[in-house]
Amino acid sequence: MLGVNTVIAISLCYVAILFMVAFLAERRATRGNATWLHSPLIYTLSLSIYCTAWTFYGAVGYAARSGLEFVTIYLGPTLMMIGWWWILRKLVRIGRAQRITSIADLVSSRFGKSTSLGVIVTVISVVAATPYIALQLQSVTLSFAVFAQSDGQLWQDADLNATAMWVAVGLFVFTVIFGTRNLDANERHHGIVMAIAVEAVVKLIALLAVGVFVVWGVAGGPAEMMTRIDNSDVVLWDQNGGRWVSLLFLSGAALLCLPRMFQVLVVENADERHLAIASWAFPTYLLLMSLFVVPIAVVGLDLLPAGSNPDLFVLTVPLQEGKQGLAMLSFLGGFSSATSMVMVATIALATMVSNHIVVPMWLSMRPSQQAVMSGDIRHVILLARRLSIAGVLFLGLVYYRVSGGGTALAAIGLVSFSGAVQILPAMLGGVFWRGASRLGAAAGLLTGLAFWLWTLFLPSFGAESLIGQTVMEQGPYGLSWLRPQAMFGIVGLDPLVHGLLWSMLLNAGMFILVSLVTFPTPLERLQGAQFVNVFEHSAAAPAWTTAAAGAEDLLIMAQRIMGSEQAQAIFEREAARQGKNGFLPEVTPNFVELLERELAGSVGAATAHAMVGQLIGGSGVSVEDLIAVADEAAQILEYSNRLEAKSSEQEQTARALRDANDKLTALSIQKDAFLSQISHELRTPMTSIRSFSDILRDGDIPLSDQKRYSGIIHDEAIRLTGLLDDLLDLSVLENGQVMLHVNTGNLGVLIERAIGAASGLEDTLEIVCAPELAQMTVTTDLDRLVQVFINLIANARKYCDAEHQRLKISVLVREGTYLIDFVDNGSGIAIENQQLIFEKFSRVADGSKAGGAGLGLAICREIMRRLGGDITYLPGQYGTAFRVTLPK
Amino acid sequence: MSNGLKSKIFLEQAGYRQRRLRDALRFWPIFGCILLVIPLLWASEPADHALDTNALIYIFGVWVLLIAVTAIMARRLRVDDAPDPDFKP
């Protein structure tokens, strides 16, 4: 026989093993090689905390009492999981984007980071979880009692209470050690998660083992089992449709709303892809957990004496058959179910209590600036979490003592579920409906809470304990329409369906109605847009418009919450992003937003917002910002703007392509023209050279003519060479291959050089130089510059058609450039030709007068552009005028 | 040239398949709900044991079907951070 002491010893060993597992996981995680801790398998197994001791023990009792109705508790979550694309994916994405720490944080953050909503949701969650935690304590205690009974002792209430207390103390120690290690709720609790995963496997194996034993060991095979089920007294299918549908809804909604499920599903989710795998793996787990429930119930009813508690068949059937080891395994399964649930539930609840109740209270008790600048907030928060864990466990114990531990497990579980799902309208409304408002959410939540307390929670303590029999039957003060199980005079409904129906209906109704008639604050609308459109809005709009706080103050505050290392890392990263050294970045609204979100990961959105607000001092988001970032119209506008930008971009590209094509065509035409020009230019001197050399070759010419002809040949050859030199020069300049020899020289001297070089024998040109020229120096390629000057002076000599040729050279200094003007007293150049003169081979005057091939000005322009200046025709000067611009 | 065209068409098809798969993912739980309330329509007399085993087999059968189809869809689905391509604001 397994004595109680043996059972206690074995469970202590089991706890020690779990402790080791958690410790090792924690250590590996801190060493950084924890990738396998982020696997979808661990994620799925951690979801198994949905299957608590209620499931482990209670499902069999449930099946023995109500047949197949128990599967609804698993089918609801199954439907929710296979529909993950609808809701869960969005919740997980929001959880990550907004750094959500708990379900209270989700609701509070969505509705304008409201502290009061956080408090309401926290209160609902704690009250709803209390019966559930009591249930776990009760089941562990009862299972100890079973072993005591088989050992020949009959436990009294005192023994049960003492056991419950010791279990609670043990759970408290374990949870505090591994659950309040780090402050950031978004950082995974590796130790706890690993311990839960191990427990998930243990409870599955235990239940399957009992099931296999029952089907093959007791009944003798599946076929025999089916006959047994057929012949048993258990009525499997006698379902009340209302209850069936209500329970499917209730359990599905509970998967989202239970704080512990939200913790493992959303907060501890490391990767969205894990959801895809969990969407079928978790339902599979649930299926396996419920596969043998009916056989165990049927066999239990057959084997055990009438009146035995069906809730404990998982334990008592193996004991009855003398399978001590199996009974012990089954005990460990139940123990695992209870402990893992309590650990996660208390962590989730403690996070909510500390972030939404304790810390805001602590902050409000201090003067505003001092609160965030002094005092060790980290210690306050951690202490608050530890005390909250103790408080939640204590409440569970109280409920256990008050309720007397006698009620059927399933009934308590359902009461707890229906309390938690009161959060559903606010949560789903907040995530899918932008019109949902803070006041609407508060009204709905409070209405739901009130109706749930009255119709389900208070009656759950039993008829005579909190609500008297007369009130149950006739209503308070004789108001019969307020009877807890027949509200508004509607009788005959199942109490659970009744309570759930009224609380959810009025909850959702108030939520929608009040949301419709109230007007949300700017921050609410901003958050609403970010939540509802989480898949479209990746970039958050900053909720702060003014950023008056010093970076140093913000750093001090952040260090107090996140610890100095993490805070400094954030500040340093931001400073580096802004291109600054050190730890103090520019305090931009975007940075404040980022910092607030990081802080929210530790203390929740509402508290983080309040703390940042105290430092920033400025107003939060304004209506104008809101119109810009969150208004529907703005969004549509933005989208169409984006489209427009895209199409105009394409248009630009098309235009650029068209331009390029035109240019290429023009270039090709130019090239043809250039070739024909150049052949013409080369051909003319060549023709005369050829004809004169023909004459010379024939002989018979007088010496004087010989001399004249060879003179012509010589001149033409020189002209050709000059032309080819010019061409070469131009091509070098145009290709940018020219080497510049930069020197400093005096402008006046340079002009003198040019005049000297350009003067002919019979000089008719009078040149007037401005005296300022002699005082100016330039730093450039002087030879090239002189080449330009020579060209301009020579042009004036060649083309000036005035009787008395005169060229005026003047200089101006404007904005760091020299403007050197060459103005003659000729008749100037017609407007239509002014642009043309700089083109190659362009000659405005008739060719006979000009000696060149029309390359001079083209070369000048190329040179000046190489020198960083330009040469332009200067109109309106009563003569031909050129302006040379040159950087100083 | 033809190769590039082919691969482009193939990509388009793959994207189309993904979008329809997401539609299937959306429809599937609705289907599941309907399948799971169908037994309520069965005529039931108290203590009708033939119905009992039928219901047991039916419920667990639907359950297995739901899981299997979800698993197949999950395997084929590409979950990435890209926004829903069907989204039109």
Side-chain angles (χ1 to χ4, degrees):
Chain A
M1 271 290 151
L2 274 174
V4 180
N5 291 333
T6 328
V7 173
I8 291 175
I10 290 175
S11 24
L12 283 179
C13 284
Y14 179 66
V15 170
I17 291 168
L18 286 182
F19 204 90
M20 284 286 291
V21 166
F23 182 73
L24 286 178
E26 200 77 55
R27 211 173 60 176
R28 292 199 95 164
T30 47
R31 283 188 188 164
N33 48 359
T35 41
W36 57 280
L37 279 173
H38 297 302
S39 69
L41 177 72
I42 301 286
Y43 180 67
T44 307
L45 286 177
S46 73
L47 296 185
S48 75
I49 55 154
Y50 180 80
C51 301
T52 63
W54 168 33
T55 309
F56 193 84
Y57 295 123
V60 174
Y62 201 158
R65 293 187 192 96
S66 324
L68 268 179
E69 191 180 286
F70 83 95
V71 286
T72 53
I73 303 302
Y74 305 96
L75 287 175
T78 298
L79 288 172
M80 196 52 89
M81 286 306 290
I82 65 172
W84 64 286
W85 196 261
W86 284 106
I87 302 175
L88 280 171
R89 187 175 69 108
K90 195 162 192 182
L91 284 179
V92 166
R93 182 70 70 90
I94 290 172
R96 193 139 38 103
Q98 300 283 328
R99 300 199 46 117
I100 297 296
T101 60
S102 65
I103 187 167
D105 194 30
L106 178 88
V107 174
S108 142
S109 185
R110 159 63 179 84
F111 295 103
K113 308 186 182 179
S114 148
T115 310
S116 50
L117 271 183
V119 172
I120 296 174
V121 175
T122 304
V123 168
I124 292 179
S125 299
V126 170
V127 176
T130 301
Y132 215 90
I133 288 170
L135 185 58
Q136 310 305 313
L137 298 176
Q138 181 186 338
S139 59
V140 173
T141 312
L142 281 179
S143 59
F144 271 116
V146 166
F147 281 99
Q149 205 172 3
S150 77
D151 205 17
Q153 316 167 15
L154 199 60
W155 274 17
Q156 302 304 312
D157 273 358
D159 299 316
L160 291 171
N161 288 340
T163 315
M165 205 191 73
W166 282 113
V167 171
V169 169
L171 282 169
F172 170 71
V173 172
F174 199 95
T175 313
V176 165
I177 288 176
F178 290 104
T180 58
R181 214 157 220 213
N182 36 33
L183 202 49
D184 193 338
N186 278 29
E187 273 175 30
R188 275 106 212 143
H189 303 98
H190 297 289
I192 296 266
V193 167
M194 199 58 220
I196 290 168
V198 170
E199 292 193 304
V201 175
V202 169
K203 63 192 180 195
L204 183 63
I205 289 175
L207 202 58
L208 287 180
V210 176
V212 167
F213 167 71
V214 161
V215 173
W216 278 274
V218 179
E224 288 82 355
M225 192 66 237
M226 286 312 268
T227 2
R228 254 186 194 241
I229 292 173
D230 271 344
N231 297 333
S232 81
D233 294 334
V234 179
V235 181
L236 284 182
W237 192 257
D238 180 22
Q239 298 308 327
N240 167 332
R243 235 180 115 81
W244 180 264
V245 174
S246 302
L247 287 174
L248 277 181
F249 163 79
L250 183 62
S251 56
L255 186 78
L256 300 178
C257 295
L258 288 173
R260 65 174 195 280
M261 288 317 292
F262 191 87
Q263 176 84 22
V264 287
L265 259 177
V266 178
V267 180
E268 308 248 355
N269 176 288
D271 188 334
E272 224 168 280
R273 271 166 294 202
H274 292 176
L275 259 187
I277 292 168
S279 72
W280 57 268
F282 181 55
T284 310
Y285 187 93
L286 294 176
L287 175 71
L288 292 176
M289 283 299 278
S290 44
L291 199 55
F292 293 112
V293 167
V294 172
I296 295 171
V298 168
V299 168
L301 285 176
D302 280 357
L303 285 183
L304 292 164
S308 353
N309 186 354
D311 283 333
L312 294 168
F313 279 174
V314 182
L315 217 49
T316 47
V317 168
L319 276 179
Q320 177 80 16
E321 294 290 299
K323 301 285 177 197
Q324 302 285 336
L326 189 59
M328 193 62 223
L329 181 62
S330 159
F331 169 80
L332 286 182
F335 187 74
S336 299
S337 316
T339 50
S340 55
M341 177 270 162
V342 174
M343 282 191 293
V344 182
T346 49
I347 289 176
L349 291 172
T351 307
M352 285 158 73
V353 170
S354 80
N355 282 357
H356 295 281
I357 297 179
V358 179
V359 177
M361 265 168 58
W362 186 81
L363 281 178
S364 69
M365 283 188 306
R366 282 153 183 262
S368 60
Q369 280 280 323
Q370 197 196 336
V372 286
M373 301 300 292
S374 68
D376 199 333
I377 298 177
R378 281 171 72 78
H379 279 163
V380 171
I381 297 171
L382 279 181
L383 187 66
R385 293 228 174 129
R386 288 177 184 147
L387 290 179
S388 310
I389 290 173
V392 168
L393 280 167
F394 179 73
L395 281 178
L397 262 182
V398 169
Y399 186 96
Y400 170 75
R401 296 285 284 271
V402 172
S403 72
T407 334
L409 298 180
I412 305 183
L414 290 177
V415 167
S416 172
F417 270 27
S418 48
V421 300
Q422 298 305 323
I423 306 167
L424 188 76
M427 180 166 87
L428 287 191
V431 168
F432 288 100
W433 181 34
R434 285 191 45 189
S437 82
R438 182 171 54 92
L439 291 173
L445 286 168
L446 289 175
T447 311
L449 176 65
F451 273 82
W452 171 72
L453 284 175
W454 184 244
T455 59
L456 289 169
F457 183 73
L458 295 180
S460 80
F461 286 91
E464 278 302 328
S465 52
L466 287 181
I467 299 183
Q469 195 65 37
T470 45
V471 175
M472 291 296 280
E473 278 166 9
Q474 288 156 24
Y477 311 107
L479 297 169
S480 66
W481 58 277
L482 276 181
R483 275 172 292 167
Q485 295 185 343
M487 293 295 290
F488 309 108
I490 293 176
V491 284
L493 277 178
D494 176 87
L496 179 79
V497 176
H498 168 267
L500 187 67
L501 181 72
W502 282 119
S503 61
M504 287 310 287
L505 200 64
L506 293 168
N507 177 339
M510 285 300 281
F511 170 58
I512 293 169
L513 185 73
V514 177
S515 286
L516 289 177
V517 298
T518 53
F519 195 79
T521 63
L523 188 58
E524 265 178 83
R525 299 188 64 190
L526 193 64
Q527 288 291 96
Q530 283 189 28
F531 273 59
V532 175
N533 303 330
V534 67
F535 292 112
E536 293 88 51
H537 279 262
S538 43
W544 297 102
T545 49
T546 52
E552 204 169 347
D553 291 348
L554 285 174
L555 179 60
I556 291 171
M557 177 188 70
Q559 283 178 348
R560 293 207 180 282
I561 297 173
M562 293 187 271
S564 43
E565 204 173 309
Q566 206 187 339
Q568 281 165 11
I570 291 170
F571 276 67
E572 201 174 6
R573 208 163 40 222
E574 175 70 12
R577 206 185 57 74
Q578 294 177 359
K580 295 175 83 175
N581 285 325
F583 292 102
L584 297 179
E586 210 64 54
V587 184
T588 60
N590 278 319
F591 174 60
V592 176
E593 173 74 14
L594 172 98
L595 186 65
E596 188 190 318
R597 198 160 296 180
E598 291 290 336
L599 293 177
S602 297
V603 293
T607 309
H609 191 71
M611 290 175 110
V612 172
Q614 282 181 351
L615 269 192
I616 295 290
S619 59
V621 66
S622 70
V623 181
E624 290 77 35
D625 299 324
L626 201 66
I627 289 164
V629 292
D631 206 63
E632 288 93 332
Q635 274 181 28
I636 294 163
L637 204 67
E638 191 191 301
Y639 183 71
S640 75
N641 279 348
R642 236 182 303 149
L643 270 185
E644 216 166 88
K646 210 171 263 176
S647 78
S648 81
E649 207 173 282
Q650 280 167 348
E651 220 165 81
Q652 269 173 11
T653 316
R655 208 178 306 134
L657 280 175
R658 226 175 2 244
D659 286 354
N661 188 34
D662 288 352
K663 208 171 268 175
L664 281 175
T665 317
L667 272 178
S668 152
I669 293 169
Q670 246 175 36
K671 191 194 76 195
D672 292 348
F674 180 75
L675 280 176
S676 78
Q677 269 284 354
I678 205 155
S679 19
H680 174 75
E681 292 291 338
L682 288 173
R683 208 192 144 104
T684 324
M686 285 304 258
T687 315
S688 56
I689 288 173
R690 214 181 69 193
S691 40
F692 283 111
S693 55
D694 271 351
I695 299 172
L696 284 177
R697 195 182 52 187
D698 291 347
D700 277 353
I701 346 167
L703 196 67
S704 62
D705 281 352
Q706 260 184 35
K707 252 191 181 161
R708 199 159 58 87
Y709 294 158
S710 49
I712 291 172
I713 291 173
H714 184 248
D715 285 349
E716 290 297 307
I718 285 175
R719 232 181 88 190
L720 260 180
T721 319
L723 179 65
L724 288 173
D725 281 348
D726 281 357
L727 274 174
L728 209 60
D729 205 13
L730 192 62
S731 94
V732 166
L733 282 165
E734 278 183 340
N735 291 331
Q737 295 161 334
V738 64
M739 289 282 286
L740 295 177
H741 305 286
V742 180
N743 273 312
T744 306
N746 182 290
L747 254 184
V749 175
L750 294 176
I751 296 277
E752 285 303 322
R753 242 175 81 192
I755 294 169
S759 58
L761 286 173
E762 70 270 35
D763 207 341
T764 52
L765 181 70
E766 182 197 348
I767 299 175
V768 185
C769 287
E772 301 94 299
L773 281 166
Q775 291 147 28
M776 296 183 183
T777 52
V778 285
T779 305
T780 182
D781 188 329
L782 301 177
D783 291 338
R784 286 292 186 180
L785 188 60
V786 169
Q787 189 187 346
V788 173
F789 291 163
I790 293 172
N791 213 303
L792 289 174
I793 296 167
N795 271 357
R797 176 165 295 130
K798 269 184 232 160
Y799 301 116
C800 182
D801 50 2
E803 192 132 338
H804 179 73
Q805 289 179 329
R806 182 148 31 110
L807 177 68
K808 215 171 75 187
I809 305 175
S810 60
V811 69
L812 277 173
V813 182
R814 189 185 297 160
E815 289 166 10
T817 49
Y818 291 119
L819 309 177
I820 307 158
D821 294 343
F822 292 78
V823 185
D824 70 12
N825 58 346
S827 53
I829 293 171
I831 292 175
E832 65 269 22
N833 291 330
Q834 284 173 6
Q835 278 308 308
L836 217 64
I837 49 175
F838 293 104
E839 297 303 322
K840 284 168 262 185
F841 302 110
S842 60
R843 259 174 313 197
V844 180
D846 61 310
S848 60
K849 201 175 169 192
L855 289 172
L857 282 172
I859 292 174
C860 284
R861 170 164 275 192
E862 281 304 321
I863 290 174
M864 288 319 295
R865 289 193 173 158
R866 292 286 157 220
L867 297 183
D870 203 357
I871 178 168
T872 47
Y873 184 78
L874 196 64
Q877 302 294 319
Y878 307 106
T880 309
F882 289 99
R883 165 164 287 181
V884 175
T885 49
L886 189 68
K888 211 171 175 179
Chain B
M1 232 7 229
S2 70
N3 220 350
L5 198 65
K6 242 183 196 169
S7 72
K8 194 174 174 199
I9 288 171
F10 176 71
L11 270 180
E12 285 294 309
Q13 274 184 349
Y16 182 85
R17 278 289 137 242
Q18 281 292 312
R19 288 197 289 279
R20 296 296 81 77
L21 191 60
R22 286 162 192 204
D23 292 346
L25 266 176
R26 290 189 180 96
F27 286 129
W28 190 231
I30 299 171
F31 226 76
C33 289
I34 295 169
L35 286 178
L36 286 176
V37 296
I38 281 179
L40 293 178
L41 305 175
W42 296 352
S44 84
E45 283 162 40
D48 181 353
H49 282 300
L51 193 61
D52 275 7
T53 30
N54 281 349
L56 189 71
I57 291 163
Y58 176 84
I59 297 274
F60 278 84
V62 168
W63 205 342
V64 170
L65 179 75
L66 288 175
I67 291 170
V69 174
T70 311
I72 291 167
M73 288 195 287
R75 283 190 73 84
R76 289 174 169 239
L77 186 76
R78 290 197 314 261
V79 185
D80 43 26
D81 285 339
D84 198 335
D86 273 351
F87 169 72
K88 299 273 183 297

